[in-house]
Structure formats: C-alpha cells, structure tokens
Amino acid sequence: MKKEEFSFKLPEKLIAQRPKEKRDESKLLLLDKHTGEIEHKKFNEILNYLNEGDCLVLNNTKVIPARLIGNKKTGARVELLLLKRLDGDKWETLVNPGRKAKVGDEIYFGGEFLKAVVVDIVEEGNRIIEFEYEGIFEEVLDKLGELPLPHYITEKLEEKSRYQTVYAKYDGSSAAPTAGLHFTKELLKKIEAKGVTIVYITLHVGLGTFRPVKVDNILEHKMHSEVYEVTEVAKEKINKAKLKGNKIICVGTTSARTLESSSNAKGEVVSGCGETSIFIYPGYKFKIVDKLITNFHLPESTLMMLVSALSSKEHIMNAYDVAIKEEYRFYSLGDAMLIN
C-alpha cells in the first residue's frame, strides 16, 4: 500500500489559521462509513447523532509549552520540541537543526536560566536531553517555553487556551488532541443530559501522532511510542456500554489509538498505563471503536490512514474532495468530521 494513495491537493486558503469564535460552530461533515453518504451540519448538532447509552471517549491530555528556543555557546540558534519525559530531567526531544546536535553539546535558554545537555542520539533529529535548572521544571518551562503550534499555522494564536480542550487536565502533550477543541462545557453537559456516558482517557500526544510517513510503502513506516493511561473507571464504563450493544464514539485519533492499544483478544478494554506505537491503516479490524469524531488531516499522514481504516480509503478520499469543494477548514484549527 503506497502513501501516495492517501494524497490530495489542498488550497492554502483552506488551512485554518485561527479557531472559530465559538468552538462548537465549526462545520461538521457526517460520513456514513458503510455507504459513503455525506451530510453537512454544524458541530453543535453532534448531539443529534449521539444516543442514550452510547459512550463518548475524550483524551484529557494537556499541551505543555514544549517548544524551547535557545543557543549554543557559539551563539548558534537551536530549537527543541519536548516529546516525552523519560526519567527525572531526561527528555526525548526533536532538535532543529538536528544533525548538528552532538552528544555533550550544551544548549542554553533564557540566558543560562535553563541548560540542556545532549546525552544520546536516537535517530535523525531526535536527541535525549538532560536539563539542568533551579526550582521546579514546570515553572521554568512555563516561563521559557512556547505552545508548539504546527508549522502550517503562521498566525499568532491570541488566546493560548484555544489550543487546549476545555477538559484538558494532565500535562504532557506536544500537540493538542484537536478533535476535542470543538467541544464546549455547555455542549458536554447537554450530551451527558441525553444519557450519553462521557469517559476520559489520557494519551500524551508526541511524535507518534504527527511524524510524517517518509517511506513509499506504508507497511515500512515505524510509529514512535506515546504514553497512555486508561483508568479502572474508564475501562468499566466502556466495557459496560460495549456489552450492552451501545456505540463507542472516540473523539480524535489519539482516543481511538488508546482504546485499540488497551484492548484484549476478547474485545474488552484493559485498564492501566502503557506505551503505544500502534499503526492503524486499511485492513485493520477495530475491536472497540465504532465511530470517530475527527478533524481533517494532512495528506499522506498516518491519521489519514487511520480514518480510512474505519471507513474505506475510497469513502474518505471522496469526503475530502467534497470538503474541499465546500470550503471546509482543514487541519488543527479547522472543521470536523463524524465517521458514523
């Protein structure tokens, strides 16, 4: 299976540079995953497609100010993206420029307020970094770090909270679980009042989610691992809904990957913490996920491949063509799709 099969051309004007004034007023494309039939709605109408007894699964990770810009002693500019905390003050990071970052190199941020030492080389631009500082790391990061907005967002985000979901709770992500950005607290209350069970899981979004596919044959692509947690409460609620024949609706590909990673051979979710490097592409048989609320993704991305697995490549590519013709807004701050 070739990555070019998941390619499309997007006019630059359709790349959303800012969020809608009201989160739940984005467009919503409804896609019947079996027939490919398409309808056009507003996101706040999602309530009409969730039924009593269904289980809505959201990722409550919180984006940290994971982008750090500093300098070597030579004055050379270096950018770090924090991907995953390993142990104590050691982090896996993405370094730019990466090839010039050698073991033993020292990088300084905020003068010498924060020091980073390269202690290991993982691959390409990935480096293991150990930080040195005084005080509490999270406070240092809040002071020196920036929210890591995707490269295709070129305008400054006026309100940082708009790159967090309203239910973000646990620090750890390098990018937002963007499908959740459309929900308001009021909409969630209405969904709960309808008898829909709302469940929170945690997956800290890292390179595994947004790393580009560089090989032509997608089967050769290797996913990076990401840390997740499914609580005992979440497990019980999801399995109860599944047993009763109700639908499991995931908000975002990160929620979907978490549930599929934490499922057993019986088709049940298992609680606990773990790491997932699951790569879902057409041909995959979902054990837990029935429906998916998601944004419109980059061409040739693993996210395009995942949504194609839940429906079909043909239905998804047609839906993207329709979305482009109807001028839906794409990517992180754009509109949404319900694969129903």
Side-chain angles (χ1 to χ4, degrees), residues 41-297:
K41 304 290 180 180
K42 282 286 184 72
F43 191 83
N44 51 28
E45 296 178 84
I46 195 83
L47 188 65
N48 300 328
Y49 303 93
L50 304 175
N51 299 311
E52 183 178 353
D54 284 349
C55 187
L56 185 70
V57 183
L58 304 106
N59 182 4
N60 61 7
T61 189
K62 190 174 184 179
V63 185
I64 60 174
R67 184 170 178 254
L68 288 163
I69 298 173
N71 301 91
K72 293 182 179 180
K73 282 289 188 183
T74 60
R77 183 182 184 274
V78 180
E79 181 178 325
L80 289 189
L81 178 64
L82 306 185
L83 297 175
K84 183 167 59 177
R85 193 169 204 158
L86 301 175
D87 180 37
D89 291 315
K90 287 185 180 179
W91 285 75
E92 182 178 351
T93 68
L94 191 61
V95 182
N96 186 27
R99 291 180 181 176
K100 294 183 179 180
K102 312 294 185 185
V103 172
D105 281 358
E106 297 177 353
I107 307 163
Y108 297 88
F109 307 91
E112 295 190 7
F113 197 70
L114 176 66
K115 175 182 173 182
V117 181
V118 180
V119 296
D120 200 5
I121 296 173
V122 182
E123 61 175 2
E124 298 176 359
N126 285 41
R127 299 292 185 269
I128 305 301
I129 295 287
E130 186 162 18
F131 288 104
E132 297 177 14
Y133 55 91
E134 290 187 6
I136 300 169
F137 183 73
E138 286 72 18
E139 292 178 358
V140 174
L141 197 59
D142 280 339
K143 183 175 181 179
L144 299 177
E146 301 175 9
L147 279 182
L149 291 176
H151 65 88
Y152 48 77
I153 297 177
T154 57
E155 295 185 15
K156 185 177 180 181
L157 190 62
E158 296 298 329
E159 297 178 61
K160 290 183 179 179
S161 63
R162 294 304 306 272
Y163 196 60
Q164 302 278 14
T165 63
V166 297
Y167 47 82
K169 188 173 183 180
Y170 298 110
D171 287 340
S173 275
S174 303
T178 54
L181 297 177
H182 303 284
F183 287 90
T184 64
K185 290 181 179 179
E186 292 75 22
L187 180 56
L188 288 170
K189 286 178 182 176
K190 289 178 182 178
I191 290 169
E192 206 161 25
K194 191 174 180 178
V196 176
T197 300
I198 296 179
V199 170
Y200 296 97
I201 54 86
T202 307
L203 179 137
H204 293 313
V205 186
L207 197 59
T209 293
F210 57 84
R211 184 191 188 202
V213 177
K214 295 183 178 180
V215 291
D216 290 330
N217 181 356
I218 69 168
L219 302 183
E220 297 173 5
H221 177 72
K222 303 298 181 186
M223 296 284 285
H224 277 241
S225 65
E226 295 168 306
V227 176
Y228 73 85
E229 180 179 8
V230 177
T231 64
E232 187 70 18
V233 171
K235 178 203 80 171
E236 293 293 339
K237 289 181 177 180
I238 294 165
N239 288 341
K240 182 178 179 182
K242 197 76 178 172
L243 188 62
K244 288 185 174 181
N246 299 116
K247 301 301 182 185
I248 309 299
I249 304 111
C250 280
V251 177
T253 56
T254 59
S255 296
R257 291 177 66 238
T258 300
L259 293 196
E260 293 300 311
S261 298
S262 62
S263 63
N264 61 22
K266 297 179 182 178
E268 302 167 330
V269 171
V270 178
S271 61
C273 298
E275 292 192 16
T276 179
S277 56
I278 190 171
F279 179 22
I280 297 175
Y281 51 86
Y284 178 86
K285 302 299 181 185
F286 285 84
K287 298 184 282 291
I288 307 296
V289 181
D290 297 304
K291 303 180 182 184
L292 179 67
I293 298 168
T294 187
N295 277 20
F296 291 92
H297 306 294

